[in-house]
Structures are given as structure tokens and as C-alpha cells.
């Protein structure tokens, strides 16, 4: 199966969900043009409150569409943009990628994977009980986060549904994704 973009979303205002768009423009070093989370330094409210000078490692949020089918089996209806992601993907195991992976999206854009999204209680405000579906524990008791990955824009460009995604892994040794 070819990795591809199934939806793109952005929002200029703080809200949990992001409306789907025909396209989004990624800006190198900033994120999604016109999105409330774009910028060189952190824009997520909780992180700004801690230290507004932190680098923004969460410029572009990607979620695998396969997660929606998984939570649907547990009675939750989630559609692209519903969990606040900018790019919804299919055919790629985002959660298995190592830190530093480059994703070439469409004709021009390149994002570098920085880590896992750390889901917060807002997910339960969106749909009660959903947080337990996207954060859990494996057999060894380790925390498993399934709410997508975060990235920074290395090369800007327009991203549209249907664009292909090509993966370029970093040199070994690979570092597993951690929450950012």
C-alpha cells in the first residue's frame, strides 16, 4: 500500500478540532500557514505557560487514518481533523518511525518527525472515554501513545489530499519516538 495524505486541516483559532481544507501550505521552520500552532517557538497553551521560548517541535501534527477505524470499533466516531491534526495519513505506520525521520509529502514539502503527540484531557471533552483509546499500556506496563506524531517543517510546500508520502529514515542507530 502506498503511503498518502487522506486529508489536510488547519485552524487560525484555538479549538480542539480543525476543519478540513482543499490544501495547506507548509512554511519552513514555522508550520502550517495560518494555523494557530505555527511558529518558531511553542504555541500550545500549556507549553507557552511553562516556557514561551521553547522551540516549537509541534509545528505539524500527523495522525494515521487507521486509528479512526480502531476507535470506531469501540464506539467512537472520529473523522479527519477531529483530533486537531494537520495531516491525516494512510498506509504508513507513523508510530513506528524513529525520531528524525524525514517525510517527503507531495511534490515539495518535507517534515522531520520530532516525537509523539502527548494526548491531553481535551480528548475526553471531545468524546468521553476516547483518551483511554489513544493512551494505554502495553503488556510490560509501558505507556503507549497512539494519537499521532509531531514534526517540524524542513522544506515548505503545498500539501493536498491524495499526495504521496515518501519515508527517509535517519542514519542508525534509530531513536524511538518519545512524547514532545
Amino acid at each position: 500500500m502506498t503511503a498518502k495524505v487522506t486529508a489536510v486541516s488547519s485552524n487560525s483559532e484555538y479549538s480542539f478540532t480543525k476543519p478540513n481544507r482543499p490544501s495547506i501550505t507548509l512554511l519552513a521552520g514555522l508550520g502550517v500557514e495560518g494555523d494557530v500552532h505555527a511558529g518558531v517557538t511553542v504555541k500550545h497553551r500549556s507549553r507557552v505557560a511553562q516556557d514561551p521560548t521553547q522551540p516549537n517541535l509541534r509545528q505539524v501534527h500527523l495522525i494515521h487514518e487507521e486509528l479512526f477505524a480502531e476507535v470506531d470499533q469501540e464506539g467512537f466516531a472520529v473523522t479527519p481533523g477531529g483530533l486537531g491534526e494537520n495531516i491525516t495519513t494512510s498506509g504508513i505506520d507513523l508510530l513506528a518511525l524513529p525520531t528524525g525521520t524525514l517525510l517527503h509529502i507531495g511534490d515539495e514539502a518535507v517534515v522531520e518527525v520530532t516525537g509523539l503527540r502527548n494526548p491531553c484531557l481535551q480528548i475526553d471533552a471531545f468524546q468521553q472515554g476516547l483518551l483511554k483509546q489513544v493512551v494505554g499500556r502495553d503488556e510490560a506496563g509501558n505507556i503507549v501513545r497512539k494519537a499521532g506524531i509531531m514534526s517540524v517543517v524542513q522544506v515548505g510546500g503545498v500539501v493536498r489530499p491524495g499526495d504521496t508520502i515518501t519515508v527517509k529514515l535517519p542514519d542508525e542507530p534509530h531513536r524511538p519516538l518519545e512524547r514532545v
Side-chain angles (χ1 to χ4, degrees):
M1 175 182 245
T2 302
K4 68 177 185 172
V5 174
T6 58
V8 294
S9 309
S10 67
N11 199 339
S12 62
E13 299 176 7
Y14 281 105
S15 75
F16 185 71
T17 61
K18 295 185 183 219
N20 296 150
R21 309 284 182 198
S23 67
I24 57 173
T25 301
L26 303 185
L27 303 173
L30 295 174
V32 178
E33 182 177 50
D35 192 83
V36 70
H37 294 113
V40 174
T41 56
V42 293
K43 300 299 175 198
H44 288 78
R45 292 178 182 174
S46 63
R47 293 170 192 271
V48 168
Q50 290 175 343
D51 177 3
T53 66
Q54 295 177 73
N56 188 1
L57 302 178
R58 301 165 56 104
Q59 294 174 358
V60 181
H61 177 200
L62 297 93
I63 282 187
H64 50 296
E65 184 176 68
E66 293 82 358
L67 176 65
F68 303 156
E70 183 181 324
V71 300
D72 182 66
Q73 293 177 355
E74 300 299 324
F76 296 93
V78 180
T79 57
L83 295 180
E85 77 276 11
N86 300 111
I87 299 176
T88 309
T89 68
S90 68
I92 180 173
D93 187 353
L94 296 174
L95 304 177
L97 297 173
T99 301
T101 298
L102 297 178
L103 300 176
H104 295 256
I105 306 172
D107 294 333
E108 302 171 303
V110 180
V111 298
E112 180 179 346
V113 176
T114 56
L116 294 167
R117 175 187 183 187
N118 189 31
C120 65
L121 290 174
Q122 287 183 346
I123 290 177
D124 272 349
F126 174 65
Q127 288 185 42
Q128 187 63 39
L130 184 57
L131 183 60
K132 284 187 177 183
Q133 301 301 313
V134 298
V135 178
R137 294 199 180 266
D138 64 15
E139 299 79 30
N142 300 310
I143 295 175
V144 176
R145 293 173 177 86
K146 299 189 276 185
I149 63 172
M150 307 307 285
S151 64
V152 295
V153 181
Q154 297 296 323
V155 178
V158 176
V159 177
R160 297 177 180 84
D163 282 350
T164 59
I165 302 170
T166 304
V167 176
K168 182 171 185 324
L169 296 175
D171 292 338
E172 292 192 18
H174 291 162
R175 292 180 298 131
L177 296 176
E178 296 180 12
R179 66 183 177 96
V180 292

